[in-house]
Amino acid sequence: MNSRQPLDLDGNSPLEVESLHMAEQSSQVTLRECVEQVMERYFTHLEGDETCETVSHLYTMVLAEVEAPLLDVVMRHVEGNQTRAAELLGLNRGTLRKKLKQYDLI
């Protein structure tokens, strides 16, 4: 098994589903707390599951789960202006374009 996890019926990964549930529960939770709680639930969910031993590339999976929606929201906020988005994110515009392509956002 690779770092990809099965999707729910709406096409959300387990991390996205947990994030959505947490967002509904409290708007006072920081992003850091949200990630920590989701990761704790992720590992709790895997306990006793034989696939837990085969989970790999967790760091990459978590970054992708956070980075893709971050880029999407920022691009909507700046109305598609890549220069403004790059400035806001503190990225080189070329790096931003590479990431947008990576996540099929352009």
Side-chain angles (χ1 to χ4, degrees), residues 67-68 71 75 82 86 89 91-106:
E67 191 172 46
L71 296 172
M75 289 304 294
Q82 293 178 12
L89 292 165
L91 296 174
N92 175 287
R93 188 170 173 273
T95 301
L96 174 62
R97 286 188 55 76
K98 178 179 151 190
K99 290 179 177 293
L100 292 172
K101 287 178 183 178
Q102 175 184 344
Y103 297 113
D104 294 322
L105 295 173
I106 59 171

Side-chain angles (χ1 to χ4, degrees), residues 53-91:
E53 297 300 320
T54 61
V55 172
S56 63
H57 305 286
L58 185 60
Y59 183 79
T60 302
M61 180 181 72
V62 171
L63 285 184
E65 292 291 329
V66 173
E67 191 172 46
L70 169 66
L71 296 172
D72 186 41
V73 169
V74 167
M75 289 304 294
R76 282 187 275 132
H77 177 74
V78 298
E79 299 175 344
N81 186 316
Q82 293 178 12
T83 300
R84 286 181 49 212
E87 290 171 0
L88 184 65
L89 292 165
L91 296 174

Side-chain angles (χ1 to χ4, degrees), residues 15 29 33 37 41-42 49-50 58 61 63 86-87 91:
L15 290 176
V29 177
E33 292 169 328
Q37 291 172 6
R41 287 183 182 168
Y42 179 79
D49 190 342
E50 293 176 15
L58 185 60
M61 180 181 72
L63 285 184
E87 290 171 0
L91 296 174

